[in-house]
């Protein structure tokens, strides 16, 4: 790749692709490995490549568009959808069921098949990556229905973190909202959001989760958004909450 600048001012090719709204940075690196990206007429074989404004970039034979205006949407994910662009088992996905009129979007993190509630969507893969990082420290809040009534002391102990099957989970706040028959609704808050974290922690305490609704992600609230609908975050709010060209400042724990 002698025609591609490696050590001059510019940005990594994967970051450029993500900012164009084409894919996430991780997907960009995979596409490069698959030989789907060309720079200045040569097939790229490594993501360790810095490109400048004058470099000609082709992805799947098509010119890479310039960086799109960053947009963020709040989406009320219903149960029964996978948060993936393509499911190997053929299950329905979030991206097959979005309202018409949206550009290609990427989710900020995931909600599993049976979980519902707030999912952030953006056309900027670089932004999605930044908002997923644990260093943002953004609080994720959930309403969780479990069987039985968890012991108050057990919920309090979660604030110190817990280790389950050699996986360390950070501090979690959990309190009883109300009891309903044989079930209890909890309000749960956490900052890491590891895979199936809430379900695994509750199972560790002896309580199966029968419903899980994410109500907030950092400063963004689910509010009254109906299942399957989206609401765009105004540009002014996006700038205030996220800033321009920088990740959100870590929140205090």
């Amino acid at each position: 790749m002698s025609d591609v600048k490696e050590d001059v001012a510019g940005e990594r090719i994967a970051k450029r692709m993500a900012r164009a709204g084409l894919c996430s940075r991780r997907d960009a690196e995979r596409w490069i490995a698959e030989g789907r990206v060309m720079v200045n007429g040569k097939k790229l074989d490594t993501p360790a490549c810095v490109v400048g404004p004058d470099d000609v970039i082709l992805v799947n034979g098509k010119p890479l568009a310039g960086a799109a205006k960053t947009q963020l949407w709040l989406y009320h994910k219903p149960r029964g959808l996978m948060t993936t662009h393509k499911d190997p088992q053929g299950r329905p996905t979030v991206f097959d069921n979005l309202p018409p009129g949206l550009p290609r979007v990427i989710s900020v993190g995931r909600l599993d098949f049976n979980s519902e509630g707030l999912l952030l969507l953006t056309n900027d893969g670089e932004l999605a990556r930044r908002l997923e990082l644990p260093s943002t420290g953004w609080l994720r809040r959930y309403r969780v229905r479990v069987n039985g009534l968890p012991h108050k002391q057990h919920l309090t102990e979660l604030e110190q973190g817990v280790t389950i099957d050699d996986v360390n989970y950070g501090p979690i706040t959990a309190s009883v909202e109300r009891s309903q028959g044989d079930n209890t609704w909890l309000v749960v808050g956490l900052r890491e959001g590891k895979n199936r974290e809430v379900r695994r922690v509750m199972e560790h305490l002896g309580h199966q989760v029968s419903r899980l609704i994410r109500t907030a992600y950092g400063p963004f609230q689910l509010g009254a958004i109906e299942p399957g609908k989206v609401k765009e975050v105004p540009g002014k709010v996006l700038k205030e909450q996220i800033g321009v060209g920088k990740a959100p400042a870590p929140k205090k724990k």
Side-chain angles (χ1 to χ4, degrees):
M1 291 300 304
S2 58
D3 293 343
V4 181
K5 297 181 286 296
E6 296 283 352
D7 55 359
V8 297
E11 61 185 340
R12 288 291 185 102
I13 180 65
K15 182 177 180 179
R16 171 74 69 85
M17 291 168 63
R19 288 200 310 113
L22 187 63
C23 58
S24 68
R25 186 184 291 192
R26 183 178 299 176
D27 283 340
E29 293 173 350
R30 178 170 56 82
W31 290 3
I32 291 167
E34 294 172 352
R36 297 163 62 178
V37 180
M38 297 185 68
V39 177
N40 300 332
K42 292 186 178 294
K43 186 179 294 185
L44 196 62
D45 56 10
T46 174
C49 166
V50 175
V51 293
D54 297 327
D55 288 313
V56 178
I57 304 168
L58 300 181
V59 180
N60 295 326
K62 298 180 180 180
L64 180 67
K69 173 186 175 183
T70 296
Q71 294 174 278
L72 185 72
W73 290 266
L74 313 181
Y75 170 64
H76 188 157
K77 176 194 175 295
R79 299 175 71 177
L81 295 178
M82 295 295 294
T83 311
T84 181
H85 283 273
K86 186 176 181 180
D87 181 58
Q89 300 180 35
R91 291 169 293 186
T93 74
V94 163
F95 302 100
D96 291 333
N97 289 274
L98 291 176
L102 288 179
R104 186 190 186 281
V105 292
I106 299 165
S107 66
V108 178
R110 300 191 177 199
L111 285 174
D112 64 40
F113 187 74
N114 288 317
S115 297
E116 56 194 292
L118 181 62
L119 185 67
L120 302 186
L121 304 173
T122 179
N123 63 335
D124 188 333
E126 182 63 17
L127 174 63
R129 177 179 177 275
R130 294 199 334 250
L131 298 187
E132 289 172 351
L133 294 174
S135 59
T136 64
W138 273 2
L139 182 69
R140 286 85 152 160
R141 283 177 284 183
Y142 304 82
R143 293 185 68 238
V144 183
R145 187 176 68 192
V146 299
N147 69 308
L149 177 62
H151 195 285
K152 183 178 180 179
Q153 181 62 30
H154 292 164
L155 297 180
T156 300
E157 290 172 355
L158 294 179
E159 296 178 11
Q160 305 303 316
V162 62
T163 299
I164 304 171
D165 296 331
D166 297 325
V167 177
N168 297 319
Y169 296 99
I172 297 171
T173 61
S175 60
V176 174
E177 180 184 76
R178 73 175 190 270
S179 293
Q180 186 178 36
D182 294 331
N183 298 309
T184 300
W185 278 99
L186 305 173
V187 177
V188 176
L190 52 89
R191 298 185 185 275
E192 289 184 308
K194 292 180 179 177
N195 184 37
R196 298 179 63 82
E197 180 170 346
V198 175
R199 295 182 186 276
R200 287 175 175 168
V201 169
M202 291 302 149
E203 289 172 3
H204 175 70
L205 297 182
H207 303 277
Q208 292 291 323
V209 172
S210 58
R211 195 171 180 191
L212 190 153
I213 308 167
R214 183 154 65 193
T215 59
Y217 193 107
F220 302 110
Q221 311 286 324
L222 178 63
I225 301 172
E226 297 180 0
K229 302 297 184 181
V230 298
K231 178 181 179 181
E232 185 174 358
V233 176
K236 181 180 179 181
V237 175
L238 188 60
K239 183 177 181 180
E240 291 173 348
Q241 297 295 344
I242 298 176
V244 178
K246 63 180 181 179
K251 302 292 188 292
K252 294 182 179 180
K253 295 184 178 180

